[in-house]
Amino acid sequence: MRPVPRPADRITVSMSVNGGPVERTVDSRRLLADFLREDLGLTGTHLGCEHGVCGACTLLVDGRPVRSCIMLAVQADGCEVTTVEGITPREGLNPIQQAFKDHHGLQCGFCTPGFLMTLTGAEPSEYPDDESIRELLAGNLCRCTGYEGIVEAVRAAWGRDEREGRRP
Amino acid sequence: MTARPSFIGAHTPRVEDDRLLTGGARFGADVSLPGMLEAAFYRSPLPHALIGGVDPSRTAELKGVAGVFTAEDMSDVSPFPDFDEHARPVEIFPLARGRVRYAGAPIAAVVAADRYEAEDAVDLLSVDLDPLPPVVSVEQALAPDAPRLYPDWPDNAVIEWPVSNPDAIAEFDRLEDGAFTVGGRYEIRRHTGAPIETRGVAAEFREGRLTVWTTTQFPHIARTMLSYCLPLDESDIRVVVPDVGGGFGVKAEFYVEEVTIPWLAMKLGRPVRWIEDRREHLIATCHARDLVLDLEAAVGPDGRFRAVRGMAIQDLGAAEMYPYGFSPTFTAVGHITGPYRIPHQSVGVLAAATNKTPNGAYRGFGIPEAAFGIERLMDKAADRLGLDRNEIRRRNLIGQEDIPYTTSAGAVVDSGSHRETFEETVRVAAERREHWRDRLAGDPRIRVGSGVVNYIEGVTPTYFMTTGHWTSFDSCSIRVNPDGTAVVSVGVSTSGQGLESMLTTLTAEALGVRRDQVRIVMGDTDRTPYGLGSWGSRSTNVASGALREAADALLGKAVRIAAHLLEASPEDIEVYDGSFEVRGSPGAAVTWRQVATAANIRTMDLPEGVKPGMEASASYDPPGIEHTPDEYGRVNAAATYTNASHAAVVSVDVGTGQVRVLEYIVAHDCGTVINPQIVRGQVVGGIAQGIGGALLEQLHYDEFGNPLSTSFLDYHLPTAAEIPPMAVLHFESPAPEMPWGAKGAGEAGIIGPAPAIAAGVEDALSEYGIAEITLTPITAPYLLGLLPSG
Ligand code: FES
Ligand code: FES
């Protein structure tokens, strides 16, 4: 059995970040979010609570949404990590990003990368209606929008009936 | 001169969005400087204590620690100046001096190589605290033998403003014609804005100049405050606001960390950064509300309100907050009669210091509290008379024939659609309530009800009653570069509402340039003219007032140049979409680029008498604002007043007491709508926060003054699953005195939900004879307690 690392032990990790290989030596206690933000300069991932509730730090590890504020960088060793920078096309916006823009799915934008990554990691067919979309989104907090524009953006991005669930 | 399509009211995409959607924005925590150190604070674990000493010796075992600092080290720093003449003086020091008055007060700052190590060092400090008995409620605070937070005060009252208006009191003495009184104590408990981005400050001191990056809503005020506290001239301080992840008022306070971090950077000669964590945020960033409105109304037999009297009693927390935490309570008193013709009021203010986090601003700023009080009283009076709850409002609402109407608080309502929004909301709410009753009829535990409420909101207010110092103006300067692009710098500052887009649109409108020719600069005191920042639903009004004046000056000049270049008369020039044309001569045109090139580069192309350059500045102070109240508290403290009616359709589970908002209806009037999507977003976002405050959010303390809501696990923000679909109905009553007729929309949404939901719940439970709902949040245990047992 390997010895349990202590917090300040330096450990070398290698992973793929947004498609490119990364190898760094980090403190074993370094959070994945801090590793990406501070060491790699990928500041699109935001920290709103640092205790796993708000979802602002959501990104994809091997295609699945995780909260990078409660995951260590060393736990991502050997994984594929995708952040908001990684889903952004070289020019313009991807369809989910564009839908957020079209439907006013953001105001301050601090929560937005987290929502985008939650949605990128979701399988639309598992969320057939507004209620299930809202359940999915309930893992991310937004304090600005009242979620209306976000729900509309999801509908648009997923090709749902625009008026579904909406009343005059 | 101008006859062209307008951008006002058109759907235009936000210019901020691309950077925010792609991870390209730069928030406070993204500011990183070469050689930067990071700070963490040792915060008091006790609500009330004397500080003995701080022993940093054990931090020596950590190699990255650059220093541990306490108040004693900061002798060259002045406390915040205190400008208020009515309240007891409070000295605010960047680090606690001698005594702590709330759990969370910063006692020591530790600077280290990074945040991990700084936090390690905080854990290694030994701090000697001598506990004092805590004061945890207004009742305790005002008891004769209460421990005092400020030993040189005779009691714990921070401000007492009794009001005794004889005209109001007379109405209570003369009830013989069948008039009666209703009263109640209406309580909005302690909650807070809780933006998803916490606060953060970074500072660098280089060649005698200090640069401070801070998540503030008012950079120029922050700079002025820094100059009052630090031994630096104001011109040697630059405050820069990065992208801000939501403010909602809590970032319109000037915080002690905004002095400490710059001071550390000066002291250490290295850049220093501090990023607040969420636990700190919930105990060290201002709290809000925690207000009891003890109200009584004299009501005629016809349901018409004749007068309101009472007291607004606030648990202010430790009072170490600037701008003052009691000012929302005065705003509550200023809005106590809402949009109703209630001729007289006599409502005083009492704010007491307790050992809790100091109160400050939160969106709505007293108006949600006022609406809860007066709307609950309206419902109560209607019930007493056996009158329909909508009917009593109909009898009291301001109508078009009353406008301009001066409320009993002195607010001059210059425009509005008070009855129109109400009738429309009543109509839609009745329909929707029936829809939901049908839809949920199968569930024996579910009851459905609705409530409709109204309010007015003073927008673009004076800051004098909040700060005792600043008043109400703002400014703008515009420079058109030789290529025809316009750089517009303003004293207001954004925290995510979409202000950049609003100002881009207004500049395009005012100058006749294309939207993509506009660049907005804000949030940088070196690059923008002085202004008071963004709060009080003011930014669009004040910035556009200044912008319009500056733009008009430039446009007048540009038209003369264009006319000269086109050999036409200035009266015949039209400008749109970046070019100047001669009316009636299609094809004869020059671009803004050609005009600006003439003004800035090829000055020999200028007509006689036109000076080179293409730059103008203006300031704007909204007309009609009064800065100080009379003896009865009457004051027209805002430039204009929005109005709205809200309805909540709610379900109540009579088994569990759980309330759900099924649907929310709002008819909203903020004057001319410049960008409908942004206005809708502001309204809907505000309603979501209001629903949170009405049902979920409370900052709890135990009986010893320990904060219990210190994470998002204990402080519940509403999620997408709790926020219902909303119907937003727009009304437009332009403000006669405001540029473009717009009224601020930033705060309105948050005002209605608490009283609308309370009324809806009572309606849903009417068959049970439920006791009156008098407080928020309306939690399940509270509600079950109101139901007759059995
Ligand atoms: S920052 Fe990770 S969940 Fe809030
Ligand atoms: S857009 Fe501000 S928190 Fe979501």
Side-chain angles (χ1 to χ4, degrees), chain A residues 29-31 34 37-38 46 48 50-51 97 101-102 104 107-108 116 134 143-144 146-148 166-168, chain B residues 14 18 21 29-30 115-116 120 192-193 196 273 278 432 496 677 680-682 685 697 712 718 720 723 727:
Chain A
R29 66 173 175 173
R30 194 146 188 82
L31 293 172
D34 289 339
R37 289 176 43 78
E38 305 288 338
H46 299 152
E50 299 175 87
H51 52 252
Q97 291 168 324
K101 181 172 179 175
D102 292 344
H104 200 23
Q107 287 181 25
C108 79
L116 294 173
R134 283 183 180 269
R143 193 59 158 165
C144 296
Y147 305 104
E148 178 178 78
R166 285 289 305 290
R167 292 161 208 94
Chain B
R14 296 205 324 165
D18 286 19
L21 283 160
D30 306 337
R115 196 174 174 219
Y116 288 72
D120 287 346
T192 185
I196 304 301
R273 181 177 79 179
R278 185 54 64 180
R432 300 314 302 166
Q677 208 178 36
R680 185 183 175 107
Q682 287 297 308
E697 295 173 39
F712 278 159
I723 299 302

Short mmCIF file of all heavy atoms in Angstrom, two decimals, chain A residues 29-31 34 37-38 46 48 50-51 97 101-102 104 107-108 116 134 143-144 146-148 166-168, chain B residues 14 18 21 29-30 115-116 120 192-193 196 273 278 432 496 677 680-682 685 697 712 718 720 723 727:
data_model
loop_
_atom_site.label_atom_id
_atom_site.label_comp_id
_atom_site.label_asym_id
_atom_site.label_seq_id
_atom_site.Cartn_x
_atom_site.Cartn_y
_atom_site.Cartn_z
N ARG A 29 -2.37 18.88 -1.16
CA ARG A 29 -3.65 19.45 -0.74
C ARG A 29 -4.22 20.47 -1.73
O ARG A 29 -5.28 21.02 -1.49
CB ARG A 29 -3.50 20.12 0.62
CG ARG A 29 -2.58 21.35 0.61
CD ARG A 29 -2.62 22.03 1.96
NE ARG A 29 -1.70 23.14 2.05
CZ ARG A 29 -1.65 23.96 3.09
NH1 ARG A 29 -2.46 23.78 4.11
NH2 ARG A 29 -0.79 24.94 3.12
N ARG A 30 -3.51 20.74 -2.79
CA ARG A 30 -3.97 21.80 -3.70
C ARG A 30 -5.29 21.39 -4.36
O ARG A 30 -5.41 20.30 -4.93
CB ARG A 30 -2.92 22.06 -4.78
CG ARG A 30 -3.16 23.34 -5.56
CD ARG A 30 -1.85 23.97 -5.96
NE ARG A 30 -1.96 25.28 -6.55
CZ ARG A 30 -2.10 26.42 -5.86
NH1 ARG A 30 -2.19 26.39 -4.55
NH2 ARG A 30 -2.14 27.59 -6.48
N LEU A 31 -6.25 22.30 -4.29
CA LEU A 31 -7.54 22.02 -4.91
C LEU A 31 -7.42 22.06 -6.42
O LEU A 31 -6.65 22.85 -6.97
CB LEU A 31 -8.58 23.04 -4.46
CG LEU A 31 -8.96 22.99 -2.99
CD1 LEU A 31 -9.85 24.17 -2.64
CD2 LEU A 31 -9.66 21.68 -2.66
N ASP A 34 -7.98 25.59 -7.64
CA ASP A 34 -6.83 26.49 -7.50
C ASP A 34 -5.72 26.13 -8.48
O ASP A 34 -5.04 27.01 -9.02
CB ASP A 34 -6.28 26.42 -6.06
CG ASP A 34 -7.23 27.07 -5.06
OD1 ASP A 34 -8.06 27.89 -5.48
OD2 ASP A 34 -7.14 26.75 -3.86
N ARG A 37 -6.86 27.55 -11.81
CA ARG A 37 -6.94 29.01 -11.81
C ARG A 37 -5.58 29.67 -11.61
O ARG A 37 -5.21 30.60 -12.33
CB ARG A 37 -7.91 29.50 -10.72
CG ARG A 37 -9.39 29.20 -11.00
CD ARG A 37 -10.26 29.63 -9.82
NE ARG A 37 -9.85 30.92 -9.30
CZ ARG A 37 -10.15 32.09 -9.87
NH1 ARG A 37 -10.90 32.11 -10.94
NH2 ARG A 37 -9.69 33.20 -9.35
N GLU A 38 -4.87 29.18 -10.60
CA GLU A 38 -3.64 29.88 -10.21
C GLU A 38 -2.43 29.35 -10.97
O GLU A 38 -1.56 30.10 -11.37
CB GLU A 38 -3.38 29.71 -8.70
CG GLU A 38 -4.53 30.13 -7.80
CD GLU A 38 -4.72 31.64 -7.72
OE1 GLU A 38 -3.77 32.38 -8.01
OE2 GLU A 38 -5.84 32.06 -7.37
N HIS A 46 -14.89 29.51 -11.57
CA HIS A 46 -15.02 30.46 -10.45
C HIS A 46 -15.33 29.74 -9.14
O HIS A 46 -15.88 28.63 -9.15
CB HIS A 46 -16.14 31.46 -10.74
CG HIS A 46 -15.89 32.28 -11.95
ND1 HIS A 46 -16.89 32.83 -12.72
CD2 HIS A 46 -14.72 32.66 -12.53
CE1 HIS A 46 -16.36 33.50 -13.73
NE2 HIS A 46 -15.05 33.42 -13.64
N GLY A 48 -17.42 30.17 -5.70
CA GLY A 48 -18.44 30.97 -5.03
C GLY A 48 -18.66 30.58 -3.58
O GLY A 48 -19.19 31.37 -2.81
N GLU A 50 -16.68 27.43 -2.12
CA GLU A 50 -15.58 26.56 -1.71
C GLU A 50 -16.03 25.46 -0.76
O GLU A 50 -15.23 24.89 -0.03
CB GLU A 50 -14.43 27.38 -1.10
CG GLU A 50 -13.84 28.37 -2.09
CD GLU A 50 -12.80 29.27 -1.48
OE1 GLU A 50 -11.63 28.87 -1.46
OE2 GLU A 50 -13.17 30.37 -1.00
N HIS A 51 -17.35 25.19 -0.74
CA HIS A 51 -17.76 24.01 0.02
C HIS A 51 -18.82 23.18 -0.71
O HIS A 51 -19.66 22.55 -0.09
CB HIS A 51 -18.18 24.36 1.45
CG HIS A 51 -19.20 25.48 1.55
ND1 HIS A 51 -18.89 26.74 2.01
CD2 HIS A 51 -20.51 25.53 1.26
CE1 HIS A 51 -19.97 27.51 2.01
NE2 HIS A 51 -20.96 26.80 1.56
N GLN A 97 -23.56 28.47 -25.14
CA GLN A 97 -23.16 29.84 -24.81
C GLN A 97 -24.02 30.84 -25.57
O GLN A 97 -24.50 31.83 -25.00
CB GLN A 97 -21.67 30.06 -25.17
CG GLN A 97 -20.71 29.28 -24.28
CD GLN A 97 -19.28 29.28 -24.83
OE1 GLN A 97 -19.07 29.23 -26.04
NE2 GLN A 97 -18.31 29.34 -23.93
N LYS A 101 -26.64 33.83 -24.25
CA LYS A 101 -26.58 35.22 -24.68
C LYS A 101 -27.93 35.66 -25.26
O LYS A 101 -28.45 36.72 -24.92
CB LYS A 101 -25.47 35.40 -25.71
CG LYS A 101 -25.31 36.82 -26.20
CD LYS A 101 -24.08 36.98 -27.07
CE LYS A 101 -23.96 38.41 -27.57
NZ LYS A 101 -22.72 38.64 -28.32
N ASP A 102 -28.50 34.83 -26.09
CA ASP A 102 -29.77 35.19 -26.74
C ASP A 102 -30.90 35.35 -25.74
O ASP A 102 -31.82 36.13 -25.94
CB ASP A 102 -30.17 34.13 -27.77
CG ASP A 102 -29.23 34.09 -28.96
OD1 ASP A 102 -28.47 35.06 -29.14
OD2 ASP A 102 -29.24 33.08 -29.70
N HIS A 104 -30.70 35.99 -22.37
CA HIS A 104 -30.34 36.71 -21.15
C HIS A 104 -30.20 35.73 -19.97
O HIS A 104 -30.75 35.94 -18.89
CB HIS A 104 -31.39 37.79 -20.84
CG HIS A 104 -30.92 38.86 -19.93
ND1 HIS A 104 -29.59 39.19 -19.77
CD2 HIS A 104 -31.60 39.72 -19.11
CE1 HIS A 104 -29.48 40.17 -18.90
NE2 HIS A 104 -30.67 40.51 -18.48
N GLN A 107 -26.33 37.57 -15.97
CA GLN A 107 -26.17 39.01 -15.69
C GLN A 107 -24.72 39.26 -15.33
O GLN A 107 -23.92 39.63 -16.17
CB GLN A 107 -27.15 39.46 -14.62
CG GLN A 107 -28.59 39.51 -15.16
CD GLN A 107 -29.60 39.99 -14.15
OE1 GLN A 107 -29.28 40.70 -13.21
NE2 GLN A 107 -30.85 39.59 -14.33
N CYS A 108 -24.36 39.02 -14.07
CA CYS A 108 -22.95 39.26 -13.71
C CYS A 108 -22.03 38.22 -14.32
O CYS A 108 -20.84 38.45 -14.46
CB CYS A 108 -22.79 39.30 -12.19
SG CYS A 108 -22.76 37.67 -11.40
N LEU A 116 -22.80 26.41 -17.49
CA LEU A 116 -22.46 25.91 -18.82
C LEU A 116 -21.84 24.52 -18.72
O LEU A 116 -22.14 23.63 -19.53
CB LEU A 116 -21.48 26.87 -19.51
CG LEU A 116 -22.02 28.26 -19.86
CD1 LEU A 116 -20.89 29.15 -20.37
CD2 LEU A 116 -23.14 28.17 -20.91
N ARG A 134 -35.24 22.26 -14.42
CA ARG A 134 -35.04 23.03 -13.20
C ARG A 134 -34.37 22.18 -12.12
O ARG A 134 -33.55 22.68 -11.34
CB ARG A 134 -36.36 23.62 -12.71
CG ARG A 134 -36.80 24.84 -13.52
CD ARG A 134 -38.08 25.45 -12.99
NE ARG A 134 -38.47 26.62 -13.77
CZ ARG A 134 -38.11 27.88 -13.50
NH1 ARG A 134 -37.37 28.14 -12.44
NH2 ARG A 134 -38.49 28.87 -14.28
N ARG A 143 -27.56 34.15 -8.38
CA ARG A 143 -28.22 35.14 -7.54
C ARG A 143 -28.79 36.28 -8.36
O ARG A 143 -29.50 37.14 -7.84
CB ARG A 143 -27.20 35.67 -6.52
CG ARG A 143 -27.77 36.48 -5.39
CD ARG A 143 -28.79 35.74 -4.54
NE ARG A 143 -28.91 36.33 -3.21
CZ ARG A 143 -29.92 36.07 -2.39
NH1 ARG A 143 -30.89 35.25 -2.75
NH2 ARG A 143 -29.94 36.61 -1.19
N CYS A 144 -28.46 36.34 -9.65
CA CYS A 144 -28.86 37.49 -10.46
C CYS A 144 -30.12 37.28 -11.27
O CYS A 144 -30.96 38.15 -11.36
CB CYS A 144 -27.76 37.87 -11.44
SG CYS A 144 -26.22 38.42 -10.71
N GLY A 146 -32.71 34.98 -11.47
CA GLY A 146 -34.00 34.34 -11.16
C GLY A 146 -34.22 33.11 -12.03
O GLY A 146 -35.33 32.58 -12.08
N TYR A 147 -33.18 32.67 -12.73
CA TYR A 147 -33.14 31.41 -13.50
C TYR A 147 -33.99 31.43 -14.76
O TYR A 147 -33.88 30.53 -15.59
CB TYR A 147 -33.53 30.20 -12.63
CG TYR A 147 -32.70 30.08 -11.37
CD1 TYR A 147 -33.18 30.45 -10.12
CD2 TYR A 147 -31.38 29.62 -11.44
CE1 TYR A 147 -32.41 30.35 -8.98
CE2 TYR A 147 -30.59 29.51 -10.30
CZ TYR A 147 -31.11 29.88 -9.06
OH TYR A 147 -30.34 29.79 -7.94
N GLU A 148 -34.84 32.42 -14.92
CA GLU A 148 -35.75 32.41 -16.06
C GLU A 148 -35.00 32.32 -17.39
O GLU A 148 -35.27 31.45 -18.22
CB GLU A 148 -36.62 33.67 -16.04
CG GLU A 148 -37.56 33.76 -17.21
CD GLU A 148 -38.43 35.00 -17.14
OE1 GLU A 148 -37.93 36.09 -17.47
OE2 GLU A 148 -39.60 34.88 -16.75
N ARG A 166 -44.37 28.25 -20.27
CA ARG A 166 -44.47 29.70 -20.08
C ARG A 166 -45.89 30.15 -20.30
O ARG A 166 -46.59 29.66 -21.16
CB ARG A 166 -43.56 30.42 -21.07
CG ARG A 166 -42.12 30.33 -20.73
CD ARG A 166 -41.80 31.18 -19.51
NE ARG A 166 -42.21 32.57 -19.70
CZ ARG A 166 -41.62 33.40 -20.54
NH1 ARG A 166 -40.61 33.02 -21.27
NH2 ARG A 166 -42.05 34.64 -20.65
N ARG A 167 -46.32 31.09 -19.50
CA ARG A 167 -47.66 31.62 -19.65
C ARG A 167 -47.61 33.12 -19.84
O ARG A 167 -46.61 33.74 -19.49
CB ARG A 167 -48.48 31.28 -18.39
CG ARG A 167 -48.72 29.81 -18.30
CD ARG A 167 -49.10 29.40 -16.90
NE ARG A 167 -48.68 28.03 -16.71
CZ ARG A 167 -47.54 27.67 -16.18
NH1 ARG A 167 -46.69 28.56 -15.76
NH2 ARG A 167 -47.23 26.41 -16.06
N PRO A 168 -48.68 33.67 -20.35
CA PRO A 168 -48.67 35.12 -20.60
C PRO A 168 -48.53 35.91 -19.31
O PRO A 168 -48.95 35.44 -18.28
CB PRO A 168 -50.01 35.38 -21.25
CG PRO A 168 -50.89 34.26 -20.83
CD PRO A 168 -49.99 33.08 -20.69
N ARG B 14 -26.25 42.09 -25.21
CA ARG B 14 -25.36 42.72 -24.23
C ARG B 14 -23.90 42.61 -24.68
O ARG B 14 -23.45 41.55 -25.12
CB ARG B 14 -25.50 42.02 -22.87
CG ARG B 14 -26.86 42.16 -22.23
CD ARG B 14 -26.79 42.04 -20.71
NE ARG B 14 -25.81 41.08 -20.24
CZ ARG B 14 -25.39 41.02 -18.97
NH1 ARG B 14 -25.88 41.85 -18.07
NH2 ARG B 14 -24.50 40.12 -18.61
N ASP B 18 -20.02 38.16 -24.12
CA ASP B 18 -19.04 37.24 -24.70
C ASP B 18 -17.91 36.93 -23.73
O ASP B 18 -17.52 35.78 -23.56
CB ASP B 18 -18.48 37.81 -26.01
CG ASP B 18 -19.50 37.70 -27.15
OD1 ASP B 18 -20.70 37.55 -26.84
OD2 ASP B 18 -19.09 37.77 -28.32
N LEU B 21 -19.17 34.64 -20.93
CA LEU B 21 -19.56 33.28 -21.33
C LEU B 21 -18.36 32.39 -21.66
O LEU B 21 -18.50 31.18 -21.74
CB LEU B 21 -20.48 33.35 -22.55
CG LEU B 21 -21.92 33.76 -22.26
CD1 LEU B 21 -22.61 34.27 -23.52
CD2 LEU B 21 -22.70 32.59 -21.66
N ALA B 29 -10.97 37.82 -7.92
CA ALA B 29 -10.05 36.73 -7.59
C ALA B 29 -9.12 36.40 -8.76
O ALA B 29 -8.20 35.61 -8.61
CB ALA B 29 -10.84 35.48 -7.19
N ASP B 30 -9.38 37.00 -9.92
CA ASP B 30 -8.53 36.74 -11.09
C ASP B 30 -7.38 37.76 -11.18
O ASP B 30 -6.52 37.64 -12.06
CB ASP B 30 -9.35 36.80 -12.38
CG ASP B 30 -10.55 35.87 -12.35
OD1 ASP B 30 -10.52 34.90 -11.56
OD2 ASP B 30 -11.52 36.11 -13.09
N ARG B 115 -2.60 31.72 -0.12
CA ARG B 115 -3.75 31.69 0.78
C ARG B 115 -3.71 30.46 1.69
O ARG B 115 -4.11 30.52 2.84
CB ARG B 115 -5.01 31.68 -0.09
CG ARG B 115 -6.28 32.02 0.63
CD ARG B 115 -7.38 32.11 -0.42
NE ARG B 115 -8.70 32.31 0.14
CZ ARG B 115 -9.79 31.71 -0.36
NH1 ARG B 115 -9.68 30.86 -1.38
NH2 ARG B 115 -10.97 31.95 0.16
N TYR B 116 -3.21 29.34 1.16
CA TYR B 116 -3.14 28.12 1.98
C TYR B 116 -2.28 28.39 3.22
O TYR B 116 -2.64 28.07 4.34
CB TYR B 116 -2.51 26.98 1.18
CG TYR B 116 -3.38 26.41 0.08
CD1 TYR B 116 -3.63 27.12 -1.08
CD2 TYR B 116 -3.92 25.14 0.21
CE1 TYR B 116 -4.41 26.59 -2.09
CE2 TYR B 116 -4.71 24.58 -0.81
CZ TYR B 116 -4.95 25.32 -1.96
OH TYR B 116 -5.72 24.78 -2.95
N ASP B 120 -3.13 28.66 7.18
CA ASP B 120 -2.41 27.85 8.18
C ASP B 120 -1.94 28.73 9.32
O ASP B 120 -2.04 28.38 10.50
CB ASP B 120 -1.16 27.20 7.56
CG ASP B 120 -1.51 26.06 6.61
OD1 ASP B 120 -2.67 25.61 6.62
OD2 ASP B 120 -0.61 25.65 5.84
N THR B 192 -29.37 38.62 3.73
CA THR B 192 -28.33 39.40 3.06
C THR B 192 -28.30 39.12 1.57
O THR B 192 -28.89 38.15 1.10
CB THR B 192 -26.95 39.14 3.70
OG1 THR B 192 -25.98 40.00 3.10
CG2 THR B 192 -26.51 37.69 3.50
N GLY B 193 -27.59 39.98 0.85
CA GLY B 193 -27.57 39.89 -0.61
C GLY B 193 -26.89 38.66 -1.16
O GLY B 193 -27.29 38.13 -2.19
N ILE B 196 -22.95 35.63 -5.64
CA ILE B 196 -22.20 34.37 -5.77
C ILE B 196 -20.70 34.65 -5.74
O ILE B 196 -19.92 33.81 -5.28
CB ILE B 196 -22.62 33.60 -7.05
CG1 ILE B 196 -24.13 33.35 -7.03
CG2 ILE B 196 -21.89 32.28 -7.16
CD1 ILE B 196 -24.65 32.55 -5.85
N ARG B 273 -3.05 40.33 -1.84
CA ARG B 273 -4.43 40.05 -2.27
C ARG B 273 -5.15 39.30 -1.16
O ARG B 273 -4.54 38.49 -0.45
CB ARG B 273 -4.41 39.19 -3.54
CG ARG B 273 -5.79 38.87 -4.09
CD ARG B 273 -5.70 38.08 -5.38
NE ARG B 273 -5.42 36.67 -5.13
CZ ARG B 273 -5.31 35.75 -6.09
NH1 ARG B 273 -5.44 36.09 -7.35
NH2 ARG B 273 -5.06 34.50 -5.79
N ARG B 278 -16.57 32.01 1.74
CA ARG B 278 -18.02 32.15 1.95
C ARG B 278 -18.37 32.26 3.42
O ARG B 278 -19.30 32.97 3.79
CB ARG B 278 -18.75 30.97 1.29
CG ARG B 278 -20.25 31.07 1.34
CD ARG B 278 -20.84 32.37 0.79
NE ARG B 278 -20.60 32.56 -0.62
CZ ARG B 278 -21.03 33.61 -1.31
NH1 ARG B 278 -21.75 34.56 -0.73
NH2 ARG B 278 -20.73 33.75 -2.58
N ARG B 432 -55.06 32.86 -12.85
CA ARG B 432 -54.02 31.87 -12.58
C ARG B 432 -54.32 31.08 -11.31
O ARG B 432 -54.01 29.91 -11.20
CB ARG B 432 -52.64 32.52 -12.48
CG ARG B 432 -52.18 33.26 -13.71
CD ARG B 432 -52.38 32.53 -14.99
NE ARG B 432 -51.71 31.24 -15.02
CZ ARG B 432 -51.93 30.29 -15.90
NH1 ARG B 432 -52.84 30.46 -16.84
NH2 ARG B 432 -51.27 29.16 -15.84
N GLY B 496 -22.68 43.85 -12.72
CA GLY B 496 -23.22 42.74 -13.50
C GLY B 496 -24.60 42.96 -14.07
O GLY B 496 -25.17 42.06 -14.69
N GLN B 677 -35.00 43.49 -22.36
CA GLN B 677 -34.47 42.25 -21.80
C GLN B 677 -33.75 42.52 -20.48
O GLN B 677 -33.89 41.75 -19.52
CB GLN B 677 -33.50 41.65 -22.82
CG GLN B 677 -33.39 40.15 -22.72
CD GLN B 677 -32.46 39.58 -23.78
OE1 GLN B 677 -31.45 40.20 -24.13
NE2 GLN B 677 -32.79 38.41 -24.28
N ARG B 680 -36.37 43.31 -17.80
CA ARG B 680 -37.02 42.08 -17.37
C ARG B 680 -36.09 41.26 -16.46
O ARG B 680 -36.51 40.74 -15.44
CB ARG B 680 -37.43 41.26 -18.60
CG ARG B 680 -38.22 40.04 -18.22
CD ARG B 680 -38.57 39.16 -19.43
NE ARG B 680 -39.23 37.97 -18.94
CZ ARG B 680 -40.54 37.72 -19.06
NH1 ARG B 680 -41.30 38.57 -19.69
NH2 ARG B 680 -41.05 36.62 -18.55
N GLY B 681 -34.84 41.18 -16.85
CA GLY B 681 -33.88 40.42 -16.05
C GLY B 681 -33.73 41.00 -14.65
O GLY B 681 -33.64 40.26 -13.67
N GLN B 682 -33.71 42.32 -14.57
CA GLN B 682 -33.61 42.95 -13.25
C GLN B 682 -34.84 42.64 -12.40
O GLN B 682 -34.74 42.32 -11.23
CB GLN B 682 -33.45 44.47 -13.40
CG GLN B 682 -32.09 44.90 -13.90
CD GLN B 682 -30.99 44.52 -12.94
OE1 GLN B 682 -31.04 44.81 -11.76
NE2 GLN B 682 -29.99 43.82 -13.44
N GLY B 685 -34.95 38.81 -11.55
CA GLY B 685 -33.90 38.48 -10.58
C GLY B 685 -34.21 39.03 -9.20
O GLY B 685 -33.96 38.38 -8.18
N GLU B 697 -34.54 32.49 3.41
CA GLU B 697 -33.27 33.02 3.89
C GLU B 697 -33.37 33.65 5.27
O GLU B 697 -34.19 34.54 5.48
CB GLU B 697 -32.76 34.09 2.90
CG GLU B 697 -32.42 33.51 1.55
CD GLU B 697 -32.07 34.60 0.54
OE1 GLU B 697 -31.41 35.57 0.92
OE2 GLU B 697 -32.50 34.47 -0.61
N PHE B 712 -23.47 27.89 2.76
CA PHE B 712 -24.67 27.77 1.93
C PHE B 712 -25.47 26.52 2.28
O PHE B 712 -26.54 26.28 1.72
CB PHE B 712 -24.30 27.78 0.44
CG PHE B 712 -24.10 29.17 -0.12
CD1 PHE B 712 -23.36 29.35 -1.29
CD2 PHE B 712 -24.65 30.29 0.48
CE1 PHE B 712 -23.18 30.62 -1.83
CE2 PHE B 712 -24.48 31.56 -0.05
CZ PHE B 712 -23.74 31.72 -1.21
N PRO B 718 -32.46 30.51 -2.97
CA PRO B 718 -33.38 29.78 -3.83
C PRO B 718 -32.67 29.22 -5.07
O PRO B 718 -31.79 29.88 -5.63
CB PRO B 718 -34.42 30.84 -4.23
CG PRO B 718 -33.81 32.15 -3.92
CD PRO B 718 -32.76 31.94 -2.87
N ALA B 720 -33.22 27.01 -8.95
CA ALA B 720 -34.17 27.01 -10.07
C ALA B 720 -35.42 26.21 -9.74
O ALA B 720 -36.48 26.42 -10.33
CB ALA B 720 -33.49 26.43 -11.32
N ILE B 723 -37.86 28.69 -7.76
CA ILE B 723 -38.32 29.93 -8.41
C ILE B 723 -39.30 29.56 -9.52
O ILE B 723 -38.98 28.77 -10.40
CB ILE B 723 -37.12 30.72 -8.97
CG1 ILE B 723 -36.17 31.11 -7.83
CG2 ILE B 723 -37.60 31.95 -9.72
CD1 ILE B 723 -36.78 31.93 -6.72
N ALA B 727 -44.81 35.90 -14.99
CA ALA B 727 -45.43 36.69 -16.05
C ALA B 727 -45.08 38.15 -15.76
O ALA B 727 -45.39 38.66 -14.69
CB ALA B 727 -46.93 36.49 -16.04
#
